[in-house]
Amino acid sequence: MKSLFEENDLKAYVRQHAEIPQPLAARVYTSKLIGRDGTLVLHGGGNTSVKLKMTSVVGEEHDVIYVKGSGSDLSIIEPEGFVGLDMEPLVKLRILDSLSDEEMENQLLTHKMIASASDPSVEALLHVFLPHTYVDHTHADSILVLTNQKRGEDLIREALGPGVAVLPYIMSGFPLAKAVIEVFEQNPQAEAIVILNHGIFTFAEDVRVSYERMIDCVNRAEAFIEKKIQGKPLWTRRDDLSPFSDRRKSAARFSQMVRGVCAHPGPEGRLRRFYVTIRNRPDLAEVSLSKEIREICGSGVLTPDHAIRTKNRAVYIETLPENDESLGQSLRELVETYKTAYERYVEEQAKVRGIGGRELDPYPRVFIVAGLGLVALGFTRKAAGVAADIAEHTIEAKLRAMAMGGYLPIVESHVFDMEHWNLQQKKLGRTTPPILEGQVAVITGSAGALGFGIADRLLAAGAVVVISDIDEIRLERARSTLAERYDGDRIESVVFDVTSLQSVEAAYDDISRRVGGIDILVPNAGIAHVATIEDLDTDAFDRVVAVNLKGTFNTIKAAVPVFRRQGTGGSIVVVSSKNVFDPGPAFGAYSASKAGAHQMSKIAALELAELGVRVNMLNPDAVFGDEKISSKLWDLVGAERMKSRGLDPEGLREYYRQRSLLKIRILAEHVGNAVVFFASDQTPTTGATLPIDGGIPAAFPR
Ligand code: ZN
């Protein structure tokens, strides 16, 4: 590992941030360097700090520490990711023998320099107690490879030498902060402190020295490990197992099944669904077929901090039965066994402490499927990705420890303390999740105004949204516009052709591999053609029917096996048309194909109720787009409609507005709101039609 420190980059960063104290800017700069390397810290792991002098509003100079905010990610941290704390009262806490978590938190919060700054890291007091200007802390993989072995302490001493002090594992918070300053005072020459099964702290008066001490320690650990392993293969392949002939298909099927089996009622009474992240690079798929993988899944985390993202153990799946029913059965059994073991662990640990176990769900977060790779679950897409990243690093680190002689994780009681620690759970955020969090929505025809508006509303309601269209360029424009408004993590785009069942099926497999499956389906793709029956060309008629009727059929048909495998119900909201009840002349292809799709949707409501899938229809009247995202349908037919009515574009919009009872212009977001309403299962409704037309008596459903 090379030091990424560049004097010129540091200067440039400091110059760009002239409004903040120079030492803080330097702190942010090297923090980002640490964050850039996944073998040092992952997603919110690790923390850094700097101590400096500031002048208060009354002109007094005092000592302030800037420490990383809780949960901030070092790789993307900016000055706002740090929180300033008044040093003086906090340093004094050292004289106490003990300090409750609640009081420690209270002390940290009441001594923030800016009331609205984020909460400081749970390791903040440790940074306060150490006297150095700069303190850097990581959970470096190679340090954990060494500490998580039988002779962990000896190995670390051997690898890092006498300049590094070593502490046994102590839970983060006040006790660790005290232990660290005490061990430092006993070893005032120490340049770093390793905490077994946790990580490493380096420190110095100079920003570069503190950072480079970290790199140096990690390099020495790496070199020591390499010397011990000496090119030995890290794993041996089992010859009785083989990779899947169709890994892509198997991955899609497994994702759908596993998220179904693990979905469960949440605290708000709603079904909590997981998102799925798959990692199946060839080397990971190979490791999943190794002799070592069973032990890797069954042994505990590298450091208790990881357990809040991955839980302590992973589930190993040796074979995937070909048929869905057997796969479901065996998955349910494995998950049941995992849950029972987890509940027993919580019960035992809670009993020892004389407390009630905190209500964390007992579901696994990481699965290793032989021949497939790694499958991680999370309540948010981000959480699934974080679990997958940590699990990947864990596999690698455990393999290296095993090759050196044996992997020995920390005892469960420490994992429990961290996993069920109030302050740690806070890091994950405990606000009520948005109404559609956990769900995946797929919208066809999303490159146009209507599909775009629906995507926007579903994203606002917390869903992961897959926009799709046959027009790649327009779809990308829609995606990038949505990504300006919402977290890009929750937006996926897939190009497919609704007129081909094969294309739709392949797209659904792709979506399942990317996010887990499908819960909300919005068949929205549609085209129009203006011609009287006398003039309607049969090819044009076929084209309209292929998209509007057959497209809706394909979109629904391909989703049925997905809904069946998940077994968690779902919602189909079909974008029908006001035309179905109130057609107009010279619009036969459109109206008839939409009416056919509408009827098909009613049949779907009848047939899919047994799966808990609701099917409802929306009948909007003319929805126009704006300059950025125009309506494809109106791009096609608008000119002819205007010509036949002798109107300009604004006149046409006004014409449609005036023809409704409420005299309201219909917007894409109105349709989106209705999709969110049906998709959030707020009423037990299926087979219904909701007009979104400002009130057109001729189009009242009947
Ligand atoms: Zn830590």
Side-chain angles (χ1 to χ4, degrees):
M1 178 182 297
K2 276 208 176 82
S3 164
L4 302 171
F5 192 98
E6 293 286 347
E7 205 63 53
N8 287 339
D9 292 353
L10 170 71
K11 281 187 187 139
Y13 192 87
V14 169
R15 248 197 330 270
Q16 283 160 19
H17 297 81
E19 74 290 355
I20 60 168
Q22 188 267 335
L24 176 58
R27 172 69 288 172
V28 180
Y29 167 71
T30 59
S31 300
K32 283 170 172 296
L33 300 185
I34 289 177
R36 240 196 263 171
D37 194 322
T39 68
L40 290 176
V41 290
L42 285 171
H43 308 290
N47 39 63
T48 57
S49 66
V50 58
K51 301 180 184 79
L52 46 87
K53 299 250 184 242
M54 285 183 86
T55 310
S56 73
V57 283
V58 291
E60 284 171 358
E61 193 172 72
H62 56 154
D63 294 322
V64 173
I65 182 169
Y66 276 87
V67 67
K68 191 195 86 163
S70 179
S72 294
D73 190 330
L74 287 177
S75 65
I76 50 168
I77 201 157
E78 292 298 338
E80 310 77 59
F82 285 82
V83 43
L85 301 169
D86 188 4
M87 281 281 287
E88 202 191 329
L90 294 175
V91 171
K92 285 184 191 155
L93 295 174
R94 222 200 122 179
I95 58 161
L96 297 172
D97 290 328
S98 66
L99 182 65
S100 70
D101 289 340
E102 290 72 24
E103 189 51 40
M104 178 181 80
E105 192 185 19
N106 181 48
Q107 289 295 322
L108 293 172
L109 297 186
T110 49
H111 293 109
K112 288 201 285 190
M113 301 306 293
I114 294 174
S116 60
S118 57
D119 292 357
S121 156
V122 293
E123 277 155 358
L125 272 190
L126 191 159
H127 290 259
V128 168
F129 291 171
L130 282 170
H132 311 81
T133 303
Y134 292 93
V135 177
D136 295 41
H137 167 50
T138 72
H139 302 157
D141 289 352
S142 53
I143 299 295
L144 295 170
V145 167
L146 293 176
T147 74
N148 289 24
Q149 297 196 43
K150 221 182 248 161
R151 294 177 42 248
E153 184 170 350
D154 298 343
L155 293 174
I156 275 290
R157 288 189 194 282
E158 253 179 85
L160 302 186
V164 176
V166 183
L167 268 177
Y169 179 85
I170 300 167
M171 170 90 164
S172 297
F174 187 70
L176 180 64
K178 265 196 88 148
V180 163
I181 184 60
E182 278 161 17
V183 80
F184 173 73
E185 282 169 353
Q186 288 152 18
N187 303 270
Q189 304 309 317
E191 296 178 347
I193 297 172
V194 167
I195 297 151
L196 301 179
N197 308 97
H198 177 167
I200 177 166
F201 288 83
T202 56
F203 27 77
E205 291 315 303
D206 179 78
V207 69
R208 179 174 191 164
V209 174
S210 185
Y211 164 72
E212 290 188 341
R213 278 181 179 164
M214 177 66 70
I215 303 301
D216 182 51
C217 285
V218 169
N219 281 337
R220 275 185 279 157
E222 286 288 343
F224 183 81
I225 295 166
E226 288 315 311
K227 213 173 110 201
K228 291 277 175 192
I229 295 176
Q230 281 189 331
K232 257 195 289 179
L234 295 183
W235 73 85
T236 32
R237 168 81 184 269
R238 271 174 66 172
D239 37 28
D240 58 328
L241 295 176
S242 51
F244 291 97
S245 49
D246 188 353
R247 244 171 54 197
R248 295 168 66 79
K249 187 93 201 157
S250 306
R253 190 167 148 254
F254 181 77
S255 297
Q256 294 156 4
M257 302 285 287
V258 79
R259 77 188 285 261
V261 168
C262 292
H264 60 274
E268 313 82 26
R270 294 204 315 256
L271 190 67
R272 285 204 98 174
R273 294 169 169 96
F274 286 101
Y275 295 107
V276 177
T277 291
I278 297 187
R279 297 286 159 80
N280 57 359
R281 293 190 321 263
D283 58 323
L284 262 176
E286 279 292 307
V287 175
S288 72
L289 295 165
S290 71
K291 289 182 178 150
E292 290 77 9
I293 198 68
R294 193 177 281 279
E295 184 188 332
I296 288 174
C297 291
S299 57
V301 285
L302 296 179
T303 178
D305 191 56
H306 287 175
I308 63 163
R309 311 288 196 161
T310 62
K311 299 225 184 258
N312 201 22
R313 293 187 173 78
V315 177
Y316 176 58
I317 297 177
E318 199 173 275
T319 47
L320 282 193
E322 282 294 324
N323 108 11
D324 286 348
E325 214 165 293
S326 319
L327 174 56
Q329 171 86 11
S330 82
L331 251 181
R332 269 189 296 278
E333 282 167 14
L334 281 167
V335 170
E336 263 325 297
T337 308
Y338 188 96
K339 281 169 60 187
T340 309
Y342 185 84
E343 278 157 356
R344 198 186 314 124
Y345 143 80
V346 172
E347 200 179 302
E348 281 170 11
Q349 296 297 333
K351 206 165 125 195
V352 174
R353 291 159 181 78
I355 54 167
R358 288 193 52 78
E359 286 181 9
L360 297 182
D361 74 86
Y363 288 85
R365 295 297 191 272
V366 179
F367 294 78
I368 310 279
V369 185
L372 198 70
L374 186 160
V375 179
L377 309 185
F379 288 137
T380 61
R381 184 105 193 274
K382 185 162 194 290
V386 170
D389 286 345
I390 291 176
E392 265 193 65
H393 280 263
T394 301
I395 292 173
E396 173 78 20
K398 285 184 181 181
L399 282 171
R400 291 200 290 160
M402 286 158 79
M404 278 181 71
Y407 175 74
L408 184 70
I410 196 159
V411 291
E412 273 189 337
S413 64
H414 286 309
V415 177
F416 179 87
D417 285 339
M418 181 61 86
E419 192 184 357
H420 294 251
W421 191 22
N422 259 335
L423 298 183
Q424 203 62 354
Q425 283 302 323
K426 233 182 169 177
K427 191 156 138 183
L428 299 180
R430 259 199 247 116
T431 45
T432 313
I435 194 157
L436 295 181
E437 185 178 280
Q439 306 215 42
V440 178
V442 177
I443 309 157
T444 66
S446 332
L450 192 44
F452 178 86
I454 295 168
D456 180 88
R457 292 297 83 203
L458 285 166
L459 282 164
V464 162
V465 170
V466 184
I467 56 171
S468 70
D469 207 280
I470 196 163
D471 186 334
E472 200 171 344
I473 293 164
R474 286 182 61 131
L475 186 64
E476 176 48 31
R477 195 182 314 147
R479 195 204 58 76
S480 60
T481 309
L482 287 169
E484 286 165 18
R485 302 181 191 175
Y486 302 97
D487 180 5
D489 234 26
R490 295 199 288 119
I491 308 165
E492 285 285 331
S493 63
V494 185
V495 174
F496 65 90
D497 178 3
V498 296
T499 66
S500 151
L501 180 62
Q502 223 181 0
S503 171
V504 181
E505 285 172 341
Y508 288 1
D509 278 354
D510 187 16
I511 291 164
S512 301
R513 280 193 300 273
R514 290 198 221 174
V515 294
I518 299 169
D519 307 291
I520 300 162
L521 185 65
V522 188
N524 168 63
I527 57 171
H529 183 78
V530 182
T532 58
I533 293 171
E534 188 178 17
D535 295 334
L536 180 55
D537 175 272
T538 54
D539 286 346
F541 179 70
D542 284 347
R543 273 200 304 279
V544 174
V545 169
V547 176
N548 295 3
L549 174 54
K550 199 173 160 212
T552 302
F553 165 74
N554 288 338
T555 307
I556 296 175
K557 180 180 170 66
V560 178
V562 181
F563 288 133
R564 199 177 285 286
R565 287 194 196 109
Q566 292 175 159
T568 49
S571 191
I572 301 177
V573 187
V574 179
V575 177
S576 187
S577 171
K578 161 255 169 203
N579 265 275
V580 168
F581 293 105
D582 181 23
F587 222 39
Y590 181 80
S591 295
S593 59
K594 277 289 191 182
H598 197 96
Q599 190 76 341
M600 183 65 74
S601 307
K602 289 184 182 172
I603 304 298
L606 297 173
E607 293 177 0
L608 301 184
E610 58 141 343
L611 294 178
V613 176
R614 302 158 190 227
V615 187
N616 293 289
M617 288 74 80
L618 305 178
N619 284 8
D621 194 14
V623 175
F624 297 90
D626 52 31
E627 279 138 39
K628 202 153 189 191
I629 309 284
S630 64
S631 159
K632 275 209 285 190
L633 194 133
W634 285 98
D635 289 349
L636 280 169
V637 304
E640 303 211 33
R641 278 305 202 223
M642 283 185 275
K643 202 166 69 190
S644 68
R645 294 197 168 100
L647 296 165
D648 63 2
E650 195 41 46
L652 191 70
R653 285 169 192 240
E654 196 51 25
Y655 165 81
Y656 280 102
R657 190 164 79 92
Q658 287 304 333
R659 81 176 181 179
S660 72
L661 293 171
L662 298 172
K663 314 277 182 238
I664 284 172
R665 183 172 289 174
I666 312 305
L667 304 174
E669 67 176 73
H670 296 141
V671 184
N673 290 338
V675 172
V676 170
F677 169 72
F678 281 125
S680 52
D681 289 351
Q682 298 189 60
T683 57
T685 305
T686 190
T689 301
L690 183 69
I692 307 169
D693 55 12
I696 295 179
F700 285 176
R702 56 193 167 260

